[in-house]
Every structure is written in structure tokens, then in C-alpha cells.
């Protein structure tokens, strides 16, 4: 069988771990792949752990026991995270993003792979220590970010719809009150998409008054499930009608100044 150099083994092991975040991979996977001893693979892993730690690119944890192995945990340094949030604020402050009704246009940002990738790491790292079964979001703009977080946490994404679809089969629907407009809204979820007793987090693009998040909490109760955390890209902090207070955000939006420019700052998690 072909022999692989250390550099070749390290490249493949690193790629495998990063492509399967938060998933335990048995060492036998690598010993059989490379026809190498466990001690050799362990030395390779030591090198990988060391360089990831030095560059603040996440970490590799060792899981003991018969079903143990190693798993990659995503991460980004506080410095790089704050730098990302500051750059995001600059992008969002562009006056051309202001649309009628004093809303910010963020659709392009939510579909930008480079932005969503880093935002996903920041939010996922805030929930990595929790035992999560699902990441939940509401259609549609928050889906790319929620998917990225779900991938990094190694769990399934569940998308709540605004109305029922015949392709979803039997569904469960609730009405909730929008915190910003006070209007009654509807959200629905297929009964096949979520197991009872699940632990979830909610990820979305924008937090206004928190009506949607409150609706998600109520919907999950119907599945006898629990919401363990909330993460959003942008939080509107000048709302006096906040219905939700325990959550994390990347950027804080504080309305507009006297010149009509958006006022944005990195959130308190970077302070």
C-alpha cells in the first residue's frame, strides 16, 4: 500500500476534521486510511492542534473511551471577531442601504458566503458548549446564516414557514404578535421536522422587538421542545418594546442620526 508523508497525512486529517465540525471521528478512520500506527496519527494530530491553537482557528478535542476519537470545534479569535463586526458595520452604514420605511437592506449580505461563514463561526462558538439537537430559523433571509451555524454545530437545520405547504404534510401552526408592528402573524412547522423533547437554538438575520423569537419559543413548546439560545446578525437596540432579552448579536443597530445615516456598532459581546 502507498505510504503517505506527514505533510500529506496532516493535510487530509485537517480537511476531514474541518469538513465534519463537532463530529467525533475515530482514530481508526485515519489509521486505516493511511495504513499507519495510532501513535503516528496521534503525532500528526498534535501538530494540527498546535497550529490551530496558535492561529486561533478553532481547536481539536480528544474524546476518550471506546467510542471516542477527535473532533474539530470551530473558533475565531476575539480580535478577528471584533474586526469582522467593525467591517460589517462599515458596510451596513452605506446610505444606499436605507430603503423606504427606514429599513436596512441586508439581503446581499445574508447571501454572501464570506460574510456568512465568519458570522456563522462567531454565533456557533457562543453555543458550542450546549447540547443542541437542532438549529431553528424562519424563512427566508436568515436561512443561509442558520445553515452555517447548524453545519458548524454538526446538527440539522429546521426552517419554520410563514404558511403551510402541502409538501410539508401534517403541520402545526400558531399565531403570534409581531413585537415591532403589533400585527398578528402566523408560523407553521411540519410535525415530521422536529422530534419531541429536542433542545434548539434560534438563528435569524435581524432582531427588532423579538416577536418572532417569542413565537418560536411558543411553537417549540407545542413540540415539547426547548429553546436554549438565540443568535442574530443585527440587533435593533433602540426598540422600547423588546420581548426577548437573552440573546447574542454581532452588530447593534441604533437607528439613524440627524443626517439620516445608520448608527451601527459591534455588539456588547466584543466589549
Amino acid at each position: 500500500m502507498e505510504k503517505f508523508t506527514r505533510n500529506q497525512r496532516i493535510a487530509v486529517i485537517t480537511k476531514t476534521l474541518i469538513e465534519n465540525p463537532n463530529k467525533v471521528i475515530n482514530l481508526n478512520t485515519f489509521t486505516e486510511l493511511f495504513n499507519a500506527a495510532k501513535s503516528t496519527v496521534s503525532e500528526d494530530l498534535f501538530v494540527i492542534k498546535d497550529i490551530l491553537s496558535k492561529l486561533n482557528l478553532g481547536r481539536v478535542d480528544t474524546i476518550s473511551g471506546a467510542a471516542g476519537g477527535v473532533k474539530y470545534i470551530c473558533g475565531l479569535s476575539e480580535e478577528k471577531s471584533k474586526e469582522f463586526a467593525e467591517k460589517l458595520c462599515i458596510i451596513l452604514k452605506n446610505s444606499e442601504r436605507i430603503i423606504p420605511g427606514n429599513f436596512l437592506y441586508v439581503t446581499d449580505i445574508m447571501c454572501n458566503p464570506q460574510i456568512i461563514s465568519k458570522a456563522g463561526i462567531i454565533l456557533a462558538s457562543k453555543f458550542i458548549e450546549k447540547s443542541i439537537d437542532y438549529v431553528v430559523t424562519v424563512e427566508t433571509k436568515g436561512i443561509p446564516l442558520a445553515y452555517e451555524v447548524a453545519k458548524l454545530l454538526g446538527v440539522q437545520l429546521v426552517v419554520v414557514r410563514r404558511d403551510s405547504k402541502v409538501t410539508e404534510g401534517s403541520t402545526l401552526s400558531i399565531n403570534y404578535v409581531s413585537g415591532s408592528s403589533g400585527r398578528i402573524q402566523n408560523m407553521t412547522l411540519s410535525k415530521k421536522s422536529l422530534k419531541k423533547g429536542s433542545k434548539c437554538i434560534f438563528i435569524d438575520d435581524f432582531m427588532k422587538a423579538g416577536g418572532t423569537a417569542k413565537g418560536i419559543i411558543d411553537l417549540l413548546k407545542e413540540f415539547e421542545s426547548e429553546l436554549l439560545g438565540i443568535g442574530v446578525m443585527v440587533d435593533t437596540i433602540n426598540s422600547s418594546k423588546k420581548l426577548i432579552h437573552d440573546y447574542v448579536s454581532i452588530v447593534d443597530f441604533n437607528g439613524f442620526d440627524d443626517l439620516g445615516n445608520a448608527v451601527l456598532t459591534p455588539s456588547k459581546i466584543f466589549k
Side-chain angles (χ1 to χ4, degrees):
M1 180 176 285
E2 180 182 356
K3 286 293 184 180
F4 297 90
T5 66
R6 165 158 290 185
N7 287 343
Q8 290 173 326
R9 294 195 305 270
I10 287 176
V12 173
I13 293 173
T14 302
K15 185 176 187 294
T16 302
L17 290 173
I18 291 178
E19 287 184 347
N20 297 276
N22 211 27
K23 293 291 186 182
V24 178
I25 299 177
N26 194 284
L27 290 188
N28 290 337
T29 301
F30 300 120
T31 59
E32 293 172 3
L33 178 63
F34 302 123
N35 190 29
K38 279 192 176 181
S39 58
T40 300
V41 172
S42 295
E43 291 173 1
D44 296 338
L45 285 166
F46 177 81
V47 174
I48 295 170
K49 290 180 180 181
D50 183 56
I51 191 62
L52 289 179
S53 175
K54 286 180 178 178
L55 296 178
N56 292 303
L57 295 175
R59 69 179 194 269
V60 175
D61 288 351
T62 300
I63 312 300
S64 58
V70 291
K71 66 177 180 179
Y72 170 71
I73 303 296
C74 69
L76 194 65
S77 70
E78 283 295 317
E79 180 183 356
K80 291 293 184 182
S81 297
K82 186 174 182 180
E83 181 182 307
F84 167 78
E86 290 172 342
K87 288 182 178 179
L88 188 56
C89 287
I90 293 173
I91 294 172
L92 290 172
K93 284 178 181 177
N94 188 327
S95 59
E96 294 181 358
R97 289 190 172 276
I98 303 174
I99 56 180
N102 278 347
F103 292 103
L104 285 180
Y105 178 75
V106 298
T107 302
D108 60 331
I109 287 175
M110 298 306 297
C111 295
N112 185 311
Q114 286 71 39
I115 291 176
I116 292 303
S117 176
K118 287 189 178 179
I121 293 174
I122 293 171
L123 292 180
S125 65
K126 300 302 177 182
F127 304 107
I128 199 72
E129 302 303 330
K130 295 181 182 292
S131 180
I132 303 296
D133 299 307
Y134 298 95
V135 170
V136 179
T137 193
V138 177
E139 60 178 5
T140 55
K141 286 191 293 184
I143 292 177
L145 178 60
Y147 171 80
E148 192 68 23
V149 173
K151 183 181 74 172
L152 292 169
L153 293 178
V155 299
Q156 185 175 324
L157 172 65
V158 171
V159 179
V160 176
R161 293 184 178 274
R162 298 293 184 182
D163 51 31
S164 59
K165 302 287 185 183
V166 66
T167 53
E168 294 293 287
S170 179
T171 62
L172 195 156
S173 301
I174 66 164
N175 292 325
Y176 69 99
V177 179
S178 169
S180 55
S181 68
R183 297 175 181 172
I184 296 179
Q185 309 273 17
N186 178 267
M187 60 173 61
T188 181
L189 184 61
S190 170
K191 291 182 179 180
K192 296 180 180 296
S193 62
L194 193 70
K195 295 179 181 179
K196 287 186 177 181
S198 298
K199 308 294 183 182
C200 309
I201 61 171
F202 173 55
I203 300 294
D204 207 3
D205 61 327
F206 228 96
M207 168 79 79
K208 294 178 183 176
T212 301
K214 181 67 167 58
I216 290 292
I217 294 174
D218 294 337
L219 180 62
L220 290 177
K221 286 180 181 178
E222 296 295 327
F223 284 85
E224 300 176 20
S225 296
E226 182 183 2
L227 189 68
L228 299 185
I230 301 170
V232 298
M233 177 85 87
V234 182
D235 174 33
T236 303
I237 63 174
N238 64 348
S239 174
S240 59
K241 303 178 182 179
K242 284 287 187 184
L243 302 176
I244 299 293
H245 301 285
D246 187 15
Y247 58 92
V248 295
S249 61
I250 296 176
V251 169
D252 289 341
F253 172 48
N254 196 22
F256 302 91
D257 60 22
D258 294 337
L259 298 176
N261 298 313
V263 180
L264 298 121
T265 57
S267 79
K268 61 185 177 182
I269 66 172
F270 303 113
K271 299 175 182 177

